[in-house]
Amino acid sequence: MSAGTGASTILPVAGPQTVRREARALARRHRRELTWVLGLHGLASLAGLAGPAVLGRLVDDVRRGSGLSAVDRLAVVLAVAILLQTALTWAARRQASVLGETVFAELRERFMDQVTALPLSTVERAGTGDLVTRTTRDVDALSWTVRFAVPTVLVASVTTVLTIAATFWAGWMVALPVLLSVPLLVVGTRWYLKRAPKGYLAEMASYAVLNGTISESVDGARTIEALRLGRSRRRRVDDDLRAAYAAERYTLYLRTVWFPTVEVSYFMPVAVTLLWGGWLAHGGHATVGQVTAVTLYVLQLMDPVDQLLSWLDEI
């Protein structure tokens, strides 16, 4: 959790090992609910893999002159897969929301227990900003992570692997352009992760300082008015705002470099797959249905990879 740096003493800040240990303990306490969430998301992902394969088969059947009955059967299979995926996704998100609210309440209660166990002098010297930031932004961020990040990252990882396997199963020669995005993703993400943690820690700390300054100014408004400290407090708020603005500009700079790199790595394989697949189909090395299925799988691959990288940024 973040800590306010404007106070003489700050509340304890957990290190990486402590965070990992607490995350494992939290997962163990809610293992059953988390398993349900992961299972439902996984089944929804499997149901979503049926669409490109069915459409590719449909294209090839139509080109071979199959009758309407074959087309109708494939259309029914596609409709069932879509409905099944929709139902499973709804159930998974509902279960994730229930789990998130449970964890949210637990984190708030544990935080209050831990704060009240600290010496009173430590809590008072930490300042209002640190307490406010931890009980609002930090607890909300942790609850959001447990509710969505954990199941999404795990399911997106499995979905990515399954989609890549389905892509090469549909036509391994057509699917070769998928590998073009790997170097770009790896290099861009390594550059980002090397700089992002310190940037986000500084950003959260600046929020705590700003919250503390504003809360103290509001609570001591009469004293500030009596001692004519209004101009000094305004300068302090402006300084804190500039620090928070600078911290956010730095993380924004990191995202403006990383996100375009990621977007290029998404769309480049799609364009190359179409061109490469068209050349293979023209030469008789692949069918139009294979090119259709592989291209759709490449498009479908963008969503889980994007979720992985987005939640990587969030976490």
Side-chain angles (χ1 to χ4, degrees):
M1 292 187 179
S2 61
T5 58
S8 58
T9 301
I10 62 174
L11 295 176
V13 179
Q17 292 183 352
T18 303
V19 172
R20 286 193 290 268
R21 184 172 62 250
E22 289 294 322
R24 287 193 294 267
L26 190 65
R28 284 195 297 269
R29 287 197 298 272
H30 300 279
R31 182 180 301 172
R32 182 178 178 182
E33 296 86 350
L34 187 59
T35 301
W36 267 105
V37 172
L38 293 176
L40 290 170
H41 274 292
L43 291 174
S45 300
L46 285 174
L49 293 176
V54 172
L55 288 174
R57 176 72 177 275
L58 180 61
V59 170
D60 283 341
D61 286 351
V62 171
R63 284 178 59 85
R64 286 194 297 264
S66 299
L68 289 177
S69 59
V71 175
D72 290 341
R73 284 195 299 269
L74 291 175
V76 170
V77 172
L78 182 60
V80 170
I82 293 174
L83 291 174
L84 185 61
Q85 182 186 16
T86 302
L88 290 170
T89 301
W90 174 84
R93 291 183 176 178
R94 181 184 184 278
Q95 189 68 26
S97 297
V98 174
L99 174 61
E101 293 302 324
T102 304
V103 172
F104 181 74
E106 179 182 327
L107 290 173
R108 279 278 177 86
E109 292 172 1
R110 290 188 61 199
F111 172 78
M112 295 307 300
D113 291 340
Q114 291 171 355
V115 169
T116 53
L118 292 172
L120 182 59
S121 58
T122 301
V123 178
E124 289 179 342
R125 285 196 299 269
T128 308
D130 206 359
L131 288 171
V132 170
T133 300
R134 289 170 185 256
T135 54
T136 54
R137 292 184 62 92
D138 290 1
V139 173
D140 288 344
L142 285 173
S143 174
W144 180 263
T145 300
V146 173
R147 186 188 307 174
F148 295 107
V150 174
T152 301
V153 167
L154 293 176
V155 171
S157 301
V158 175
T159 303
T160 300
V161 173
L162 292 176
T163 306
I164 292 175
T167 302
F168 281 89
W169 172 80
W172 68 270
M173 290 184 66
V174 185
L176 290 177
V178 173
L179 303 177
L180 293 174
S181 62
V182 175
L184 200 58
L185 279 175
V186 171
V187 172
T189 303
R190 283 174 61 88
W191 178 90
Y192 178 78
L193 291 181
K194 185 179 180 180
R195 296 162 175 80
K198 291 183 180 179
Y200 282 115
L201 286 174
E203 184 178 306
M204 294 299 289
S206 68
Y207 293 153
V209 174
L210 181 60
N211 285 336
T213 301
I214 294 175
S215 299
E216 291 161 5
S217 299
V218 172
D219 292 340
R222 293 183 179 179
T223 303
I224 293 172
E225 183 72 19
L227 299 178
R228 298 182 178 180
L229 297 175
R231 184 174 299 177
S232 173
R233 298 305 296 181
R234 283 195 294 272
R235 283 199 301 267
R236 175 70 180 275
V237 172
D238 290 340
D239 291 341
D240 292 344
L241 280 172
R242 278 192 289 269
Y245 178 72
E248 289 211 23
R249 275 186 64 88
Y250 178 70
T251 56
L252 177 62
Y253 156 71
L254 296 179
R255 292 191 296 272
T256 55
V257 174
W258 185 47
F259 284 173
T261 304
V262 170
E263 292 296 327
V264 170
S265 67
Y266 287 168
F267 292 103
M268 181 176 63
V270 177
V272 177
T273 298
L274 281 173
L275 294 173
W276 173 246
W279 183 81
L280 290 176
H282 179 73
H285 303 291
T287 66
V288 177
Q290 286 179 319
V291 176
T292 302
V294 170
T295 303
L296 290 174
Y297 276 129
V298 174
L299 283 170
Q300 192 167 304
L301 187 61
M302 293 167 56
D303 183 58
V305 173
D306 183 64
Q307 289 183 11
L308 274 175
L309 296 176
S310 297
W311 280 111
L312 184 64
D313 175 48
E314 184 76 18
I315 293 173

